[in-house]
Every structure is written in C-alpha cells, then in structure tokens.
Short mmCIF file of all heavy atoms in Angstrom, two decimals:
data_model
loop_
_atom_site.label_atom_id
_atom_site.label_comp_id
_atom_site.label_asym_id
_atom_site.label_seq_id
_atom_site.Cartn_x
_atom_site.Cartn_y
_atom_site.Cartn_z
N ILE I 1 0.89 -1.16 0.00
CA ILE I 1 0.00 0.00 0.00
C ILE I 1 0.92 1.21 0.00
O ILE I 1 1.85 1.29 0.81
CB ILE I 1 -0.93 0.03 1.23
CG1 ILE I 1 -2.03 -1.02 1.11
CG2 ILE I 1 -1.57 1.40 1.39
CD1 ILE I 1 -1.65 -2.38 1.51
N VAL I 2 0.71 2.15 -0.91
CA VAL I 2 1.58 3.32 -1.03
C VAL I 2 0.82 4.57 -0.59
O VAL I 2 -0.21 4.92 -1.19
CB VAL I 2 2.09 3.50 -2.48
CG1 VAL I 2 2.92 4.79 -2.59
CG2 VAL I 2 2.93 2.31 -2.91
N TYR I 3 1.33 5.20 0.47
CA TYR I 3 0.83 6.52 0.88
C TYR I 3 1.69 7.58 0.20
O TYR I 3 2.92 7.47 0.17
CB TYR I 3 0.96 6.71 2.39
CG TYR I 3 -0.07 5.99 3.23
CD1 TYR I 3 0.14 4.68 3.64
CD2 TYR I 3 -1.23 6.64 3.65
CE1 TYR I 3 -0.79 4.02 4.45
CE2 TYR I 3 -2.17 5.99 4.45
CZ TYR I 3 -1.94 4.68 4.85
OH TYR I 3 -2.86 4.04 5.64
N THR I 4 1.06 8.63 -0.33
CA THR I 4 1.79 9.72 -0.95
C THR I 4 1.33 11.07 -0.42
O THR I 4 0.17 11.25 -0.04
CB THR I 4 1.61 9.72 -2.49
OG1 THR I 4 0.22 9.62 -2.81
CG2 THR I 4 2.35 8.57 -3.13
N ALA I 5 2.26 12.01 -0.40
CA ALA I 5 1.96 13.42 -0.11
C ALA I 5 3.10 14.22 -0.71
O ALA I 5 4.27 13.89 -0.49
CB ALA I 5 1.86 13.67 1.39
N HIS I 6 2.78 15.25 -1.47
CA HIS I 6 3.87 16.00 -2.12
C HIS I 6 4.46 17.03 -1.17
O HIS I 6 3.73 17.72 -0.45
CB HIS I 6 3.38 16.65 -3.43
CG HIS I 6 2.50 17.84 -3.28
ND1 HIS I 6 2.98 19.13 -3.19
CD2 HIS I 6 1.14 17.95 -3.24
CE1 HIS I 6 1.97 19.99 -3.10
NE2 HIS I 6 0.84 19.29 -3.12
N TRP I 7 5.79 17.12 -1.17
CA TRP I 7 6.47 18.05 -0.26
C TRP I 7 6.73 19.41 -0.91
O TRP I 7 7.03 20.38 -0.22
CB TRP I 7 7.81 17.47 0.22
CG TRP I 7 8.83 17.12 -0.85
CD1 TRP I 7 9.15 15.86 -1.28
CD2 TRP I 7 9.66 18.03 -1.58
NE1 TRP I 7 10.12 15.93 -2.25
CE2 TRP I 7 10.47 17.25 -2.46
CE3 TRP I 7 9.82 19.41 -1.61
CZ2 TRP I 7 11.40 17.82 -3.32
CZ3 TRP I 7 10.74 19.98 -2.48
CH2 TRP I 7 11.51 19.18 -3.32
N ASP I 8 6.60 19.53 -2.22
CA ASP I 8 7.04 20.73 -2.92
C ASP I 8 5.98 21.82 -2.92
O ASP I 8 4.78 21.57 -2.76
CB ASP I 8 7.38 20.40 -4.37
CG ASP I 8 6.13 20.03 -5.18
OD1 ASP I 8 5.49 19.01 -4.87
OD2 ASP I 8 5.78 20.76 -6.12
N HIS I 9 6.45 23.06 -3.12
CA HIS I 9 5.56 24.19 -3.37
C HIS I 9 6.28 25.14 -4.35
O HIS I 9 7.13 24.69 -5.11
CB HIS I 9 5.14 24.86 -2.08
CG HIS I 9 3.84 25.60 -2.20
ND1 HIS I 9 2.67 24.99 -2.62
CD2 HIS I 9 3.51 26.90 -1.98
CE1 HIS I 9 1.69 25.88 -2.65
NE2 HIS I 9 2.17 27.05 -2.28
N PHE I 10 5.97 26.42 -4.33
CA PHE I 10 6.42 27.32 -5.39
C PHE I 10 7.62 28.19 -5.05
O PHE I 10 7.98 29.07 -5.84
CB PHE I 10 5.25 28.21 -5.84
CG PHE I 10 4.18 27.46 -6.57
CD1 PHE I 10 2.94 27.24 -5.99
CD2 PHE I 10 4.41 26.95 -7.84
CE1 PHE I 10 1.95 26.54 -6.65
CE2 PHE I 10 3.44 26.24 -8.52
CZ PHE I 10 2.19 26.03 -7.93
N GLY I 11 8.24 27.98 -3.91
CA GLY I 11 9.48 28.69 -3.63
C GLY I 11 9.30 30.16 -3.34
O GLY I 11 8.39 30.58 -2.60
N ILE I 12 10.16 30.98 -3.94
CA ILE I 12 10.21 32.42 -3.67
C ILE I 12 10.01 33.19 -4.98
O ILE I 12 10.55 32.80 -6.02
CB ILE I 12 11.58 32.81 -3.06
CG1 ILE I 12 11.85 32.02 -1.78
CG2 ILE I 12 11.65 34.30 -2.78
CD1 ILE I 12 13.25 32.19 -1.24
N ASP I 13 9.28 34.29 -4.89
CA ASP I 13 9.16 35.22 -6.01
C ASP I 13 9.66 36.57 -5.54
O ASP I 13 8.94 37.34 -4.89
CB ASP I 13 7.71 35.32 -6.48
CG ASP I 13 7.56 36.20 -7.72
OD1 ASP I 13 8.54 36.85 -8.12
OD2 ASP I 13 6.44 36.23 -8.28
N GLU I 14 10.91 36.87 -5.86
CA GLU I 14 11.54 38.08 -5.36
C GLU I 14 11.02 39.34 -6.05
O GLU I 14 11.34 40.46 -5.62
CB GLU I 14 13.06 37.98 -5.52
CG GLU I 14 13.66 36.89 -4.63
CD GLU I 14 15.16 36.77 -4.78
OE1 GLU I 14 15.71 37.30 -5.76
OE2 GLU I 14 15.79 36.15 -3.89
N SER I 15 10.20 39.18 -7.07
CA SER I 15 9.61 40.35 -7.72
C SER I 15 8.42 40.90 -6.94
O SER I 15 7.95 42.02 -7.23
CB SER I 15 9.17 40.00 -9.15
OG SER I 15 8.05 39.12 -9.13
N LEU I 16 7.92 40.15 -5.98
CA LEU I 16 6.78 40.60 -5.19
C LEU I 16 7.20 41.70 -4.21
O LEU I 16 8.32 41.69 -3.70
CB LEU I 16 6.16 39.43 -4.43
CG LEU I 16 5.53 38.32 -5.28
CD1 LEU I 16 5.06 37.18 -4.40
CD2 LEU I 16 4.35 38.86 -6.10
N PRO I 17 6.31 42.63 -3.92
CA PRO I 17 6.65 43.70 -2.98
C PRO I 17 6.69 43.21 -1.54
O PRO I 17 6.15 42.14 -1.22
CB PRO I 17 5.51 44.71 -3.18
CG PRO I 17 4.35 43.87 -3.62
CD PRO I 17 4.94 42.78 -4.47
N GLY I 18 7.30 44.01 -0.68
CA GLY I 18 7.30 43.70 0.74
C GLY I 18 8.52 42.93 1.19
O GLY I 18 9.41 42.61 0.39
N PRO I 19 8.57 42.61 2.49
CA PRO I 19 9.70 41.85 3.04
C PRO I 19 9.75 40.43 2.50
O PRO I 19 8.78 39.94 1.90
CB PRO I 19 9.43 41.88 4.54
CG PRO I 19 7.96 42.08 4.67
CD PRO I 19 7.57 42.95 3.51
N ARG I 20 10.86 39.77 2.74
CA ARG I 20 11.09 38.43 2.16
C ARG I 20 9.99 37.44 2.55
O ARG I 20 9.58 36.62 1.72
CB ARG I 20 12.45 37.90 2.60
CG ARG I 20 12.86 36.60 1.89
CD ARG I 20 14.32 36.30 2.14
NE ARG I 20 14.77 35.10 1.47
CZ ARG I 20 15.08 35.02 0.18
NH1 ARG I 20 14.98 36.09 -0.58
NH2 ARG I 20 15.50 33.88 -0.35
N THR I 21 9.49 37.51 3.76
CA THR I 21 8.47 36.55 4.17
C THR I 21 7.22 36.67 3.31
O THR I 21 6.47 35.70 3.15
CB THR I 21 8.11 36.74 5.66
OG1 THR I 21 7.27 35.65 6.08
CG2 THR I 21 7.38 38.05 5.91
N GLN I 22 6.98 37.86 2.72
CA GLN I 22 5.82 38.05 1.84
C GLN I 22 6.13 37.72 0.39
O GLN I 22 5.29 37.90 -0.49
CB GLN I 22 5.32 39.49 1.97
CG GLN I 22 4.74 39.80 3.35
CD GLN I 22 4.34 41.26 3.50
OE1 GLN I 22 4.20 41.99 2.52
NE2 GLN I 22 4.15 41.69 4.74
N GLN I 23 7.34 37.23 0.14
CA GLN I 23 7.72 36.76 -1.20
C GLN I 23 7.78 35.24 -1.26
O GLN I 23 8.01 34.67 -2.31
CB GLN I 23 9.08 37.34 -1.58
CG GLN I 23 9.12 38.86 -1.65
CD GLN I 23 10.52 39.39 -1.88
OE1 GLN I 23 11.53 38.78 -1.48
NE2 GLN I 23 10.62 40.53 -2.55
N ILE I 24 7.58 34.59 -0.11
CA ILE I 24 7.70 33.14 -0.01
C ILE I 24 6.33 32.48 -0.11
O ILE I 24 5.39 32.85 0.60
CB ILE I 24 8.38 32.73 1.32
CG1 ILE I 24 9.80 33.28 1.39
CG2 ILE I 24 8.39 31.21 1.48
CD1 ILE I 24 10.48 33.08 2.72
N PHE I 25 6.22 31.51 -0.99
CA PHE I 25 5.01 30.68 -1.08
C PHE I 25 5.18 29.54 -0.07
O PHE I 25 5.75 28.50 -0.38
CB PHE I 25 4.84 30.14 -2.51
CG PHE I 25 4.48 31.20 -3.51
CD1 PHE I 25 5.44 32.08 -4.01
CD2 PHE I 25 3.17 31.33 -3.95
CE1 PHE I 25 5.10 33.05 -4.93
CE2 PHE I 25 2.82 32.31 -4.87
CZ PHE I 25 3.79 33.18 -5.36
#
C-alpha cells in the first residue's frame, strides 16, 4: 500500500513587494 503526499511548493518570487516573508510561497 503506497501513501503519498507531495512536499514541494512554489518557492520564492523576489519580484513581489514587501519583506522576504511576503515573497515566499
């Protein structure tokens, strides 16, 4: 039986305004 869950997301978009925490997905 195989359980799966994806660990990935979209990383960082440094073009977004604001501090770094608001650029992180």
